[in-house]
Amino acid sequence: MAIAINVPRVNNNDDEVKLVSLSAAVGSLVAAGDVIAEVETDKAVVEVEAHAGGYVLAVLGQVDEQLRVGSVLLWLGETADEEVPKSSARDQRAAHGSAASGAAAPTAKANILLRQHGLQAEQVAASGERLSAADVQRYLDAQQGGKNRAAAAPTARREVSAASMTVPGEVQALASHEKGMLSTVTWHRDHAVPGYIEISYEQAPWLAAAKAHQAETGALFSPLLPLMGARLVEIAKDHPKINATMVDSGRYHYAQVNLGFTVQVAEVLYLTVVQAAEQKNKQQLVTELVELQRLASGHKLAPQQCTGATLSFSSMARWKVGRHIPVLSPFTSLMIAHTAVDDQTGILGATYDHRVLSGADVVKVLKLLSRPA
């Protein structure tokens, strides 16, 4: 009798997973415990193991497709010519989230809205290949005059006024850099869905690369941090998703990489910016970052040298902190957080906008950044 291998549930909030690899083909023989596929959500990549042995009779999914949790991924049989159960056609439609009428497969968030309001996917017109949460919300608004959106929208934040304070005091005007930080924190609070991930890494390869570069160029100080910033730009060129933000429910990919690089001068924290960093070679980029640090130390930065970052790098290694979780700059999705535990071990972390990047995306970047190119 044929045995079904089902699509596993990885996270409680996800009704769909992406099939990222498949190592079993029709006719192949697998043993119990063999890894037959890998599936991915925004938070993890998980191996799918065969809970029984047998010959693969049918595979009901293709790599890079979204599959419904609980649907049949493949059928196993005692012999290679065993008949596939007749329910496989129904399972195929379920795997792709499609009803028999040909309705567009809903995304996980769309499924949540559909269930909350007792709707079927066939009732809602899709604006693309998948039925999105925005499609469902538009349908609800049209049906109920916008009441659903108003009810679902979070209550607008109201800033605290001096008149509401019960303990005597006075309001002091903010300095320009403090106003900038307030603007950044407010954007981070009101728009991004921030996450944080960190890894440890061996510092020896990076320290050796910095020492060699210093000897080659005759630099007075170690170029370690500028070199790591330059490496981040290289990674962004190969992985443009990290150089993006969310606009109008879509991912906005920047046409250039503007590298933000933090510089602390006494009580003032600057986010210096190298414009179009992807157009510069490593030495040019390191030289410009060093020059920006010099200008920042004298409070002589020009406006274009501290605006428009599209991704950023920050280090607190000089303070020997174990961890710091930076605030995302407006309209960015990634800020690297660097520090060092000791001469052997460093820490690379990242604050990221979960609307744009998954945890898997960020881990990949951190692992690439943990070693020189």
Side-chain angles (χ1 to χ4, degrees):
M1 183 177 69
I3 298 172
I5 305 295
N6 299 96
V7 177
R9 179 175 292 280
V10 181
N11 297 311
N12 288 335
N13 294 331
D14 293 316
D15 290 327
E16 293 183 332
V17 296
K18 180 181 179 181
L19 183 61
V20 294
S21 71
L22 188 64
S23 53
V26 174
S28 62
L29 178 63
V30 300
D34 283 354
V35 175
I36 56 175
E38 290 183 321
V39 296
E40 179 185 43
T41 70
D42 282 346
K43 298 184 180 298
V45 175
V46 173
E47 294 179 341
V48 181
E49 295 183 357
H51 56 75
Y55 290 91
V56 179
L57 305 178
V59 178
L60 307 185
Q62 297 182 1
V63 172
D64 292 331
E65 285 189 324
Q66 295 289 133
L67 304 179
R68 294 290 299 273
V69 170
S71 63
V72 177
L73 175 59
L74 56 80
W75 287 98
L76 297 177
E78 294 182 0
T79 62
D81 57 355
E82 189 172 337
E83 184 178 356
V84 177
K86 295 180 180 179
S87 61
S88 63
R90 180 191 65 198
D91 293 326
Q92 180 72 55
R93 291 194 297 271
H96 300 282
S98 300
S101 62
T107 63
K109 290 182 179 179
N111 264 323
I112 293 173
L113 278 178
L114 290 171
R115 288 197 300 269
Q116 286 176 345
H117 297 279
L119 297 173
Q120 299 297 318
E122 298 92 327
Q123 296 175 249
V124 184
S127 59
E129 293 184 0
R130 304 288 304 281
L131 180 65
S132 68
D135 294 329
V136 178
Q137 191 63 66
R138 278 192 293 270
Y139 174 87
L140 292 169
D141 287 345
Q143 295 295 310
Q144 301 187 30
K147 293 181 181 179
N148 287 279
R149 178 171 292 176
T155 303
R157 293 180 183 267
R158 298 179 61 184
E159 301 302 334
V160 177
S161 66
S164 67
M165 301 302 292
T166 58
V167 178
E170 63 177 7
V171 177
Q172 296 185 352
L174 298 179
S176 60
H177 69 276
E178 292 172 322
K179 291 179 180 177
M181 181 58 73
L182 175 61
S183 176
T184 295
V185 171
T186 301
W187 182 89
H188 178 107
R189 177 196 69 185
D190 292 344
H191 297 282
V193 180
Y196 178 79
I197 289 175
E198 69 179 34
I199 65 171
S200 61
Y201 72 100
E202 294 183 8
Q203 288 204 87
W206 264 120
L207 293 175
K211 185 176 181 179
H213 191 276
Q214 186 176 8
E216 180 182 346
T217 60
L220 296 177
F221 304 100
S222 171
L224 173 63
L225 298 181
L227 283 171
M228 296 185 81
R231 175 68 176 134
L232 180 59
V233 173
E234 292 177 351
I235 295 169
K237 289 193 290 186
D238 293 333
H239 303 274
K241 188 177 179 182
I242 71 173
N243 192 52
T245 189
M246 192 63 69
V247 176
D248 296 331
S249 298
R251 194 166 60 239
Y252 184 88
H253 287 246
Y254 290 108
Q256 63 187 51
V257 180
N258 292 348
L259 176 65
F261 195 86
T262 60
V263 180
Q264 185 80 44
V265 182
E267 296 182 354
V268 180
L269 176 64
Y270 287 107
L271 182 65
T272 63
V273 179
V274 177
Q275 304 284 336
E278 83 286 353
Q279 298 179 16
K280 300 173 172 63
N281 62 38
K282 181 166 63 176
Q283 181 54 47
Q284 290 172 330
L285 188 50
V286 169
T287 299
E288 186 163 346
L289 286 170
V290 172
E291 175 64 9
L292 286 174
Q293 292 178 68
R294 186 187 69 79
L295 291 171
S297 65
H299 306 289
K300 296 180 180 179
L301 291 165
Q304 69 271 18
Q305 293 173 319
C306 50
T307 57
T310 59
L311 81 164
S312 304
F313 182 94
S314 176
S315 177
M316 295 192 73
R318 60 185 284 196
W319 287 281
K320 302 297 182 182
V321 299
R323 170 185 297 175
H324 71 293
I325 303 176
V327 176
L328 284 172
S329 301
F331 303 103
T332 68
S333 63
L334 182 70
M335 189 170 205
I336 298 297
H338 166 266
T339 190
V341 176
D342 49 42
D343 292 339
Q344 287 77 41
T345 305
I347 300 293
L348 281 173
T351 300
Y352 63 102
D353 189 343
H354 219 320
R355 301 175 305 165
V356 181
L357 301 172
S358 70
D361 294 327
V362 177
V363 170
K364 182 184 296 184
V365 171
L366 294 178
K367 287 183 177 181
L368 289 170
L369 188 56
S370 68
R371 56 186 182 274

